[in-house]
Amino acid sequence: MLATIRQALALLLLASAAAWATHAWHPRAPALYIVQEPLRDDEVSMQVIQERWKGDVLWIDARIQEHFDEGHVPGALLLNEQKFDDQLFGLLDALQANTKPIIIYCNGAKCEASRHVLERLKQTLPVENAFVLKGGWQALQASGK
């Protein structure tokens, strides 16, 4: 009986350690509890986009071509890390003529592709009014956009 309890506790300890490690190192780990993190300086939420700009922004999709083809914000431009230089060349006229705020999104909250695209865009063009959408594509879908 004592051996069975020890084995059960050992299994419970190993399962807990594996769950914690997955949460700590997995790129798309679920939140253990719901907490609204404050927005970073380069981030905006869907609420801010609606309140500040009434949704009148230039959307840039930082996801891969296949995800873009499956669905994107109407009028969004495709500009991702993998083909940044090639895609940017085709978008130069639209980006230079743009006067709207630029909002860049990728797959979800843990996705860093939009932030990388934003950094490269700022290095390449004189872009000031550009932000990453907090929550990415998932936030867009939840908002009904």
Side-chain angles (χ1 to χ4, degrees):
M1 175 77 165
L2 192 57
T4 305
I5 293 174
R6 266 192 247 142
Q7 289 174 347
L9 288 175
L11 286 175
L12 182 62
L13 180 64
L14 289 172
S16 297
W20 179 83
T22 300
H23 176 73
W25 292 304
H26 195 281
R28 295 187 185 169
L32 292 178
Y33 49 88
I34 304 298
V35 173
Q36 283 290 357
E37 294 179 17
L39 294 173
R40 295 183 188 178
D41 292 339
D42 63 349
E43 283 182 329
V44 291
S45 65
M46 285 302 297
Q47 180 181 358
V48 171
I49 292 169
Q50 293 303 325
E51 290 173 0
R52 190 183 302 174
W53 302 299
K54 308 293 185 234
D56 189 27
V57 298
L58 175 65
W59 293 100
I60 294 182
D61 192 323
R63 300 175 303 155
I64 60 174
Q65 180 75 49
E66 292 78 22
H67 292 166
F68 182 82
D69 292 341
E70 289 173 8
H72 58 273
V73 175
L77 306 175
L78 176 62
L79 183 61
N80 58 40
E81 292 179 279
Q82 295 80 5
K83 298 182 179 179
F84 184 86
D85 295 327
D86 295 335
Q87 291 170 341
L88 181 64
F89 184 74
L91 301 175
L92 278 176
D93 291 338
L95 289 171
Q96 289 175 338
N98 177 52
T99 58
K100 299 176 184 179
I102 297 171
I103 309 299
I104 305 169
Y105 66 90
C106 57
N107 281 332
K110 296 276 186 178
C111 177
E112 289 292 316
S114 53
R115 186 157 275 108
H116 297 160
V117 168
L118 175 63
E119 290 169 4
R120 288 193 64 188
L121 194 58
K122 285 184 174 182
Q123 291 170 356
T124 309
L125 297 173
V127 175
E128 293 178 18
N129 207 12
F131 304 91
V132 169
L133 175 63
K134 184 172 181 83
W137 179 246
Q138 294 169 351
L140 278 164
Q141 288 183 315
S143 74
K145 182 77 173 146

